[in-house]
């Protein structure tokens, strides 16, 4: 069935280092992918998205890479800061506007 | 603050009681979504509206669940005869249908605890 999964449940990084969060998706028909950040007690917050006709997209300190061949998505955060500590979800969409989320990766930033 | 508000933020109820949650989307958004999120999991789609029309319902939305968006603005999600398995965070999101993408903005959620 449809699924979006994450490789690592928890990622610990030192402040100032770069973080890479990975995600595997199973449905090759998905054409839109989004990364969300969720802090404790809050709803998911949009970080960055990418359409299936792109391989890479950059935002402010964040980059999303899409490898359609192996159905893999990654989120790179440059110069990770304590405020980046949260759970990160990737989500996919197949032109239905219904988002399918993975289980999330917790990013912990230590000084 | 994304501009999507939900009320209440927390609800504790006894098994068998009915509960109703409200979502106020961003005013110009014509699409409204409900998701459910359990601890340690990603949100799961429940249903969504375009204006006042309910376009899709997940199989997760049992007969005890009903959602409305009567005037195409705010929406309510009602759970009848609550069960302990209904305990979760209920998230609302809104978006504007149109190219190139339909970015969904999430509210803070309503955390339901069924005792």
């Amino acid at each position: 069935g449809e699924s979006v999964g994450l490789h690592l449940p928890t990622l610990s990084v030192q402040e100032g280092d770069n973080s890479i969060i990975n995600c595997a998706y199973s449905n090759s028909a998905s054409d839109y992918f989004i990364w969300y950040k969720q802090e404790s007690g809050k709803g998911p917050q949009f970080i960055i998205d990418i359409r299936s006709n792109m391989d890479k997209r950059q935002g402010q300190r964040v980059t999303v890479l899409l490898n359609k061949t192996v159905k893999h998505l990654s989120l790179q955060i440059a110069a990770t800061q304590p405020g980046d500590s949260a759970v990160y979800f990737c989500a996919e969409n197949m032109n239905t506007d219904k988002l399918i989320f993975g289980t999330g990766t917790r990013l912990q930033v230590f000084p | 603050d994304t501009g999507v508000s939900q009320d209440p933020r927390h609800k504790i109820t006894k098994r068998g009681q009915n509960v109703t949650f409200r979502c106020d989307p961003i005013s110009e958004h014509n699409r409204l979504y409900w998701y459910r999120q359990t601890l340690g999991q990603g949100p799961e789609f429940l249903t969504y509206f375009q204006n006042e029309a309910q376009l899709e319902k997940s199989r997760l939305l049992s007969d005890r669940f009903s959602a409305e968006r009567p005037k195409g603005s705010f929406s309510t999600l009602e759970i009848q005869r609550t069960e302990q398995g209904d305990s979760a965070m209920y998230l609302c999101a809104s978006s504007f249908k149109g190219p190139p993408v339909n970015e969904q903005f999430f509210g803070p959620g309503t955390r339901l605890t069924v005792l």
Side-chain angles (χ1 to χ4, degrees):
Chain A
E2 305 163 350
S3 68
V4 175
L6 296 176
H7 295 310
L8 298 174
T10 303
L11 177 65
S12 296
V13 299
Q14 190 166 21
E15 182 178 356
D17 287 352
N18 297 335
S19 302
I20 300 177
I21 301 173
N22 296 303
C23 175
Y25 65 94
S26 60
N27 199 318
S28 57
S30 294
D31 61 0
Y32 177 53
F33 304 88
I34 314 100
W35 280 100
Y36 281 92
K37 172 186 180 183
Q38 188 173 26
E39 297 173 287
S40 181
K42 297 183 179 180
Q45 176 187 356
F46 175 92
I47 301 174
I48 192 168
D49 59 2
I50 189 168
R51 297 206 74 89
S52 58
N53 60 355
M54 302 173 67
D55 297 323
K56 179 179 180 179
R57 190 160 188 230
Q58 288 184 295
Q60 187 177 14
R61 284 201 306 118
V62 295
T63 301
V64 56
L65 299 178
L66 175 62
N67 186 330
K68 295 180 288 293
T69 302
V70 295
K71 289 184 281 189
H72 183 269
L73 194 69
S74 69
L75 175 70
Q76 300 178 1
I77 304 173
T80 312
Q81 303 170 359
D84 295 327
S85 295
V87 177
Y88 289 81
F89 294 97
C90 65
E92 65 180 306
N93 177 276
M94 293 176 288
N95 200 31
T96 64
D97 295 311
K98 175 179 68 177
L99 294 176
I100 300 171
F101 285 81
T103 54
T105 293
R106 180 173 300 280
L107 176 64
Q108 296 177 328
V109 183
F110 57 93
Chain B
D1 184 1
T2 62
V4 178
S5 61
Q6 292 186 244
D7 184 70
R9 294 292 308 278
H10 299 89
K11 178 70 177 179
I12 300 174
T13 191
K14 294 182 178 180
R15 188 175 52 187
Q17 297 295 304
N18 299 344
V19 293
T20 300
F21 309 141
R22 176 179 169 125
C23 172
D24 286 90
I26 294 171
S27 59
E28 61 267 27
H29 285 181
N30 54 4
R31 288 206 165 181
L32 187 148
Y33 310 79
W34 285 100
Y35 291 84
R36 182 175 71 185
Q37 184 176 26
T38 54
L39 194 63
Q41 301 297 314
E44 297 174 292
F45 170 81
L46 293 178
T47 187
Y48 86 96
F49 295 83
Q50 179 160 313
N51 300 315
E52 65 275 7
Q54 190 172 16
L55 297 186
E56 185 174 349
K57 293 193 290 185
S58 164
R59 65 182 184 277
L60 295 174
L61 214 66
S62 74
D63 291 344
R64 297 184 297 105
F65 288 71
S66 62
E68 294 182 341
R69 194 184 183 198
K71 298 182 179 179
S73 56
F74 73 92
S75 175
T76 58
L77 177 68
E78 181 182 17
I79 309 174
Q80 296 181 326
R81 304 180 303 282
T82 52
E83 302 173 356
Q84 288 184 327
D86 297 331
S87 295
M89 175 78 84
Y90 289 85
L91 293 163
C92 174
S94 70
S95 72
F96 182 76
K97 172 61 176 175
V101 294
N102 302 322
E103 180 183 337
Q104 295 184 23
F105 294 83
F106 282 82
T110 294
R111 180 166 295 284
L112 173 66
T113 302
V114 182
L115 302 176

